[in-house]
Amino acid sequence: MAELRKRLRVAFATLGCKANQYESGRLAAEFAERGCEVVPADSPCDVLIVNTCTVTNVAESKSRAKLRRLKREHPNAVLVAAGCSAEINPDSLSPLADLLVPNTGKAGLVDFVLAHRGLSLPILTEDAVPANVQTARLPSLGRTRSLLMIQDGCEDNCSYCIIPRARPLVQSRGAADILREASALVEQGYKEIVLTGISIGSWRDEDRRLHDLLALLAETTGLYRIRLSSIEPRTVTDSLLRVFAEESALCRHLHIPLQSGDDGVLADMGRTYDTEAYRTLIRKVRKRLPDAGIATDIIAGFPTESQRAFFGTLQFCEEMDFCKIHVFPF
């Protein structure tokens, strides 16, 4: 059994969002803690896990193409299709993979894969953890920055978005758990964390909200920078802006999705604001945080978007003076 434990090589290929990146890193750490060797996806391996994305038809197509290519390149490996595409379109992936693990099954993925391999490996004691655990433990964005996922799932029902179906479990991690992980990251040498999730502004732990969590994280010794990933307009509160103004560790950058600058299109999208409400929010952010960089997302070519609505969005974006715009073609 010990010989098998040393030889089982596990690789990951991750598509899509930062939440997927984070989860792949956590799963890699768990495999390492169970005695497996985590290797790059272009290396010989025994198990290859593809963390798929289905947020757009292009992402779905890329997930299938990745699985087909890796199946050719690693014919002897157990190929696992995991994540959003496996949740939404399992029938389209089943011919391409040996095992399917949807998002609702990710928590048990390691045991599932090891059972398929006929292994039942114990969690190693601290003094027996192989060297690669430290490099695989958490997902990195470089030498000094790492992701930290604080919640999962979304309860909004935007008409264009499949995420509530792909990630149906809406849950927040407890503050104590998040703070422990932040301290562990600092001990590993990270100076900056990026808080990520599916709807991070909805994070809650009993009566605590996101602004409370940020204030607690800012007290972490050795943690010099804290960034937020995308945050919905309705969750950018006065309390959140106050913490940003007070805590120097919080990077003055907010990515606040707009999606359209036309009120009719916003209503058809099922968004919870109109352009005037969004304009008021951005003015409030700039008043409280004059040096803040504000980025956004735009969906171009929504089915009910007319040429007039398109140019209205263009004009509205010019008025908002975003520092960056991520444009998604519908």
Side-chain angles (χ1 to χ4, degrees):
M1 184 65 70
E3 192 66 22
L4 281 174
R5 183 169 63 192
K6 291 180 181 178
R7 291 181 177 177
L8 193 68
R9 298 161 300 179
V10 182
F12 285 81
T14 304
L15 296 95
C17 64
K18 288 183 173 64
N20 265 9
Q21 295 174 40
Y22 177 88
E23 289 171 337
S24 290
R26 294 287 297 197
L27 290 168
E30 189 176 348
F31 272 111
E33 289 168 350
R34 300 290 288 272
C36 303
E37 181 184 1
V38 180
V39 299
D42 57 358
S43 302
C45 59
D46 304 300
V47 176
L48 209 166
I49 297 163
V50 181
N51 204 350
T52 62
C53 177
T54 190
V55 70
T56 65
N57 63 331
V58 173
E60 177 77 24
S61 177
K62 286 182 177 179
S63 294
R64 291 195 298 269
K66 177 75 75 172
L67 284 162
R68 284 192 290 266
R69 180 173 67 80
L70 293 176
K71 193 176 184 70
R72 291 194 304 269
E73 295 175 356
H74 302 270
N76 298 319
V78 175
L79 189 59
V80 183
C84 292
S85 188
E87 184 81 41
I88 296 297
N89 296 308
D91 292 344
S92 70
L93 300 189
S94 56
L96 306 176
D98 300 301
L99 299 174
L100 294 180
V101 181
N103 282 322
T104 46
K106 273 183 180 174
L109 184 147
V110 175
D111 285 331
F112 183 48
V113 170
L114 294 181
H116 179 79
R117 293 283 303 184
L119 302 175
S120 180
L121 303 179
I123 296 176
L124 302 180
T125 59
E126 185 175 352
D127 57 357
V129 173
N132 69 326
V133 172
Q134 291 305 316
T135 57
R137 182 174 297 278
L138 292 168
S140 170
L141 295 176
R143 294 183 178 180
T144 61
R145 183 191 299 181
S146 181
L147 296 172
L148 203 170
M149 189 168 175
I150 63 171
Q151 69 84 230
D152 195 4
C154 180
E155 295 179 311
D156 292 339
N157 288 295
C158 300
S159 61
Y160 56 81
C161 187
I162 201 170
I163 288 176
R165 287 177 54 205
R167 289 180 174 270
L169 299 178
V170 179
Q171 53 191 350
S172 298
R173 293 177 64 186
D177 187 31
I178 295 169
L179 293 170
R180 278 193 297 269
E181 186 166 319
S183 295
L185 285 167
V186 171
E187 290 177 4
Q188 292 177 49
Y190 293 103
K191 307 297 183 185
E192 178 178 336
I193 60 172
V194 181
L195 300 184
T196 191
I198 303 305
S199 180
I200 64 171
S202 300
W203 180 89
R204 61 184 60 197
D205 181 11
E206 295 182 350
D207 60 342
R208 291 189 176 116
R209 297 296 184 266
L210 182 60
H211 63 275
D212 300 305
L213 177 63
L214 292 176
L216 291 170
L217 284 167
E219 297 175 0
T220 303
T221 303
L223 184 58
Y224 296 112
R225 292 183 297 277
I226 303 167
R227 293 184 186 270
L228 296 186
S229 57
S230 180
I231 183 168
E232 284 295 313
R234 63 179 174 77
T235 62
V236 181
T237 63
D238 290 341
S239 297
L240 186 74
L241 296 178
R242 174 180 52 77
V243 173
F244 264 89
E246 293 174 352
E247 301 291 350
S248 60
L250 296 179
C251 296
R252 305 295 199 270
H253 178 270
L254 291 169
H255 190 108
I256 308 174
L258 170 62
Q259 307 304 7
S260 175
D262 179 84
D263 287 341
V265 175
L266 286 173
D268 291 339
M269 288 179 168
R271 301 296 281 172
T272 59
Y273 53 84
D274 58 16
T275 51
E276 184 55 34
Y278 191 94
R279 178 186 288 111
T280 299
L281 172 62
I282 298 306
R283 287 174 176 170
K284 182 188 296 183
V285 172
R286 291 208 164 106
K287 182 176 181 179
R288 296 296 302 271
L289 306 171
D291 57 344
I294 302 174
T296 199
D297 293 332
I298 294 292
I299 296 175
F302 190 77
T304 61
E305 182 184 61
S306 64
Q307 187 176 45
R308 178 175 175 275
F310 174 85
F311 284 107
T313 295
L314 180 61
Q315 183 177 4
F316 190 78
C317 287
E318 291 174 344
E319 177 190 347
M320 293 299 98
D321 193 23
F322 296 114
C323 66
K324 183 177 181 180
I325 302 175
H326 190 178
V327 180
F328 297 84
F330 187 84

